[in-house]
Amino acid sequence: MKILNNRRFRLSAATLVATGITLSACGASSSVQTQSSTSSKTSTAQVLTMESSPTNPISRNFNPFLATSAGQLLGATSMIYEPLIQFDLAKPTVKYPWLATSYKWNSNGTAITFTIRKGVKWNNGSALTPSDVAFTYELVKKYPDINTGGLSINNVSVSGDTVTVTFHSPQYTNLQGIANVPIVPKSIWSAVGDPGKYSDPNPVGTGPYKLANFTPEGFTLTKNSLYWQPVHVSTLDFPVYSSNTTALEALDTGQAQWAGNFITGLNKLFINPNPAHHKAWFDPLNTVALIPNLNQWPTNQLAVRRAISDAINRNAISSQGESGLEPPVTNGSGLVLPTFSAYSSSALSKYALSDSGSASTADAVLKSAGYTIGSNGYYQLHGKTVALSIVDPSSYSDYAADDEIVAQDLQKAHIDAKFVGMSVSAWSSDVASGNFQLTEHWSAQGISPYQQYEGWLASSLATTSATGDYERLKNAAINADLANLAQASTLATQRTALIPIAKYVATNLPVIPTVYGAAFDEYNSTNFVGWPTPSNPYESGQPDNPTNEVVVLHLRPRG
């Protein structure tokens, strides 16, 4: 399953030089004969075809701030628009200086100063300046519809080659959210009006690639000759694949070299026929959860949310829906375990979850809250039936299977639930706008639990084009708790600050955790070497924004 963005590494993966960092290929890879769907005349041995998630025909929109843009849906944004810092999600202690060569917090964590890299150019030939960086953060401050990280920016200033961003409260643990903002050129974006409504059909960025051609069925990017680091892969191809099945076929035949979604029977169908060349890595980075709309009946009722959590068979979701690749969540807090076990505490142990679920337990919860079973066989309250539509893209075959299991479990608990499959574009739009009852979704992935819980709970993210808080939680106390976690500067203080947030999730279920989500990474390396691996985790292997840029810059054609 795809993991978007918003939201772990080794410094030996990069060679730091005075003018910047040069990424070199690290570690061994694998292989297979490849062909690209690109129309470029470049040799297919030089073309890397990527797939981050199944989707539908796309529109020419490369706005880096919109989750529904073509660049975001196909995982190409970071190849064009870059952040100040890149983070290794496979090894959270490591970060790479990118458009910023360094950063420094003030004494209380309310301001951060970035030193902007010199010698970087936009792909139209003009120079990147600190003014561009400051303009981007001012843009994010002014327009909530592009503030995908929910940043509480107070002021932005420029001094020489540095940019300082100040906040209304300390932000120590939010470095990733701050430094991952895609930087855009002031000369272009200052004239577009509301940037959340700009389609950006001809993107101008500092990234290693620029747009070469576009159709509704995909696009290609070609190497940016002005890029500030070496680029060894000449062309990137981003075709539209309608389902996990078509993605598997493309991998198996060599038409694609890198994919990042759930594939049923992956070992049997892809890896085992050619184990020397077909590889996969599933690094656990997030928590998958059922997201209940808190503004709609019946998911706005705590008793219903508790009944859902009690009824669902997380073991079945894990073993059947996710083919055993994503283990069941063990604690109601949803904290990603074991990845963030250092942040857990004994105060959360009483929120252990049942793996198998229980219809009778769910029944008891609803009965005690005054619900009764009506003549239709389903629970009701004041004459209103507890009826649910669980929505996800039909092409996300694992989520579709998960949702079918959930619906069957809820039916056993006398809740009228059904799975409704949608297109990726329609689902993305509905989830972003809050037009749904219940959906399964991955959490933000990051270098600390802050990114996970901020993405789940921060009310600032619940805009008309939401990138988090999809359930539309509006809770001032939780916002304050998140602010307290953001200002915690040590592991001990972060662990303490996390407790009330984790308890709130476990007891109020604004999200209902199901399984620990993996960063799906399937690749075929006949033509390219340098892929990340468990033994060389210089980056997560999932081909999605923004970290896939780090991987591509490590890759080299097989010589």
Side-chain angles (χ1 to χ4, degrees):
M1 179 44 42
K2 179 181 178 182
I3 304 170
L4 290 172
N5 299 326
N6 277 189
R7 358 66 159 181
R8 312 169 186 174
F9 62 105
R10 206 153 71 192
L11 286 177
S12 61
T15 301
L16 300 179
V17 294
T19 59
I21 56 174
T22 299
L23 293 180
S24 57
C26 297
S29 267
S30 19
S31 342
V32 176
Q33 185 66 40
T34 61
Q35 292 181 348
S36 171
S37 62
T38 179
S39 60
S40 169
K41 295 181 180 179
T42 305
S43 165
T44 55
Q46 298 293 316
V47 177
L48 175 65
T49 300
M50 300 169 56
E51 184 268 353
S52 67
S53 181
T55 189
N56 315 106
I58 52 177
S59 300
R60 186 163 175 153
N61 186 329
F62 289 88
N63 188 320
F65 303 108
L66 299 183
T68 54
S69 71
Q72 290 289 83
L73 288 173
L74 270 66
T77 294
S78 56
M79 306 301 172
I80 300 172
Y81 291 107
E82 297 187 294
L84 297 181
I85 299 173
Q86 285 280 17
F87 298 84
D88 181 357
L89 299 182
K91 197 175 169 94
T93 57
V94 181
K95 47 189 169 288
Y96 300 109
W98 219 252
L99 293 184
T101 57
S102 63
Y103 69 92
K104 183 178 181 180
W105 290 102
N106 69 349
S107 59
N108 64 2
T110 59
I112 186 169
T113 298
F114 296 99
T115 301
I116 308 307
R117 187 178 298 278
K118 297 178 181 179
V120 177
K121 292 184 177 181
W122 300 101
N123 62 30
N124 64 2
S126 60
L128 167 76
T129 68
S131 178
D132 290 310
V133 176
F135 166 80
T136 301
Y137 283 92
E138 289 282 9
L139 208 63
V140 169
K141 174 188 175 184
K142 182 177 180 181
Y143 293 97
D145 55 352
I146 68 164
N147 190 358
T148 57
L151 302 179
S152 59
I153 297 173
N154 182 38
N155 187 51
V156 185
S157 61
V158 176
S159 177
D161 61 353
T162 67
V163 173
T164 298
V165 185
T166 63
F167 304 91
H168 295 286
S169 61
Q171 297 289 306
Y172 283 121
T173 61
N174 198 23
L175 174 64
Q176 183 181 1
I178 297 165
N180 264 173
V181 171
I183 305 303
V184 298
K186 180 178 180 180
S187 61
I188 295 174
W189 286 73
S190 60
V192 306
D194 182 349
K197 297 180 173 60
Y198 178 48
S199 64
D200 193 23
N202 300 298
V204 174
T206 61
Y209 296 89
K210 58 185 180 180
L211 184 63
N213 57 64
F214 178 91
T215 76
E217 299 302 322
F219 55 85
T220 57
L221 304 180
T222 189
K223 183 164 65 174
N224 173 14
S225 62
L226 302 175
Y227 190 55
W228 56 279
Q229 298 187 76
V231 180
H232 304 288
V233 180
S234 64
T235 303
L236 303 182
D237 189 20
F238 293 87
V240 168
Y241 293 107
S242 61
S243 69
N244 292 339
T245 301
T246 56
L248 172 60
E249 292 171 352
L251 277 171
D252 195 42
T253 61
Q255 292 177 331
Q257 293 80 48
W258 192 13
N261 54 3
F262 175 86
I263 296 176
T264 303
L266 177 68
N267 287 335
K268 178 180 179 180
L269 298 175
F270 177 61
I271 295 178
N272 293 346
N274 195 347
H277 304 302
H278 292 185
K279 304 291 184 179
W281 179 27
F282 305 106
D283 196 23
L285 297 180
N286 70 101
T287 296
V288 178
L290 291 167
I291 310 296
N293 192 323
L294 301 182
N295 290 333
Q296 289 192 21
W297 164 269
T299 49
N300 61 354
Q301 302 296 304
L302 177 57
V304 172
R305 300 197 299 275
R306 287 178 175 169
I308 292 171
S309 183
D310 287 338
I312 59 176
N313 188 331
R314 292 175 173 85
N315 267 334
I317 294 172
S318 171
S319 62
Q320 299 172 32
E322 300 294 339
S323 295
L325 299 174
E326 299 187 323
V329 169
T330 57
N331 191 276
S333 67
L335 181 68
V336 183
L337 298 174
T339 303
F340 292 137
S341 57
Y343 295 86
S344 188
S345 68
S346 58
L348 303 182
S349 59
K350 64 181 178 181
Y351 301 114
L353 291 172
S354 166
D355 286 348
S356 57
S358 168
S360 61
T361 302
D363 277 329
V365 167
L366 291 173
K367 287 178 180 176
S368 67
Y371 291 74
T372 58
I373 297 177
S375 58
N376 60 2
Y378 299 113
Y379 275 106
Q380 299 178 345
L381 184 67
H382 306 311
K384 296 176 67 175
T385 296
V386 181
L388 289 169
S389 292
I390 312 168
V391 297
D392 272 299
S394 300
S395 59
Y396 291 2
S397 57
D398 56 335
Y399 278 17
D402 295 348
D403 293 346
E404 291 283 9
I405 293 169
V406 169
Q408 292 168 16
D409 290 340
L410 297 184
Q411 288 279 344
K412 294 174 185 176
H414 305 288
I415 294 174
D416 185 11
K418 62 181 178 181
F419 166 60
V420 179
M422 304 177 68
S423 69
V424 174
S425 57
W427 173 77
S428 299
S429 177
D430 282 356
V431 171
S433 65
N435 182 30
F436 68 97
Q437 282 184 303
L438 188 67
T439 186
E440 189 171 49
H441 204 291
W442 54 91
S443 71
Q445 56 192 36
I447 58 175
S448 79
Y450 176 82
Q451 286 75 34
Q452 175 187 356
Y453 287 99
E454 188 254 0
W456 269 348
L457 308 173
S459 60
S460 60
L461 300 180
T463 65
T464 55
S465 183
T467 57
D469 189 14
Y470 298 115
E471 73 276 11
R472 268 59 187 179
L473 178 70
K474 303 288 185 181
N475 188 301
I478 286 297
N479 288 335
D481 288 337
L482 288 169
N484 189 40
L485 178 59
Q487 70 182 359
S489 58
T490 67
L491 176 60
T493 55
Q494 288 176 35
R495 186 187 298 116
T496 300
L498 182 63
I499 291 173
I501 301 170
K503 283 184 175 179
Y504 182 86
V505 171
T507 57
N508 289 276
L509 297 170
V511 299
I512 303 168
T514 56
V515 294
Y516 296 120
F520 288 117
D521 170 22
E522 304 97 9
Y523 62 93
N524 161 348
S525 67
T526 295
N527 293 340
F528 299 100
V529 298
W531 303 90
T533 64
S535 62
N536 183 23
Y538 66 81
E539 187 54 87
S540 161
Q542 183 161 342
D544 203 3
N545 307 301
T547 55
N548 56 7
E549 180 192 11
V550 177
V551 177
V552 168
L553 292 177
H554 276 76
L555 298 182
R556 294 175 181 266
R558 183 179 291 277

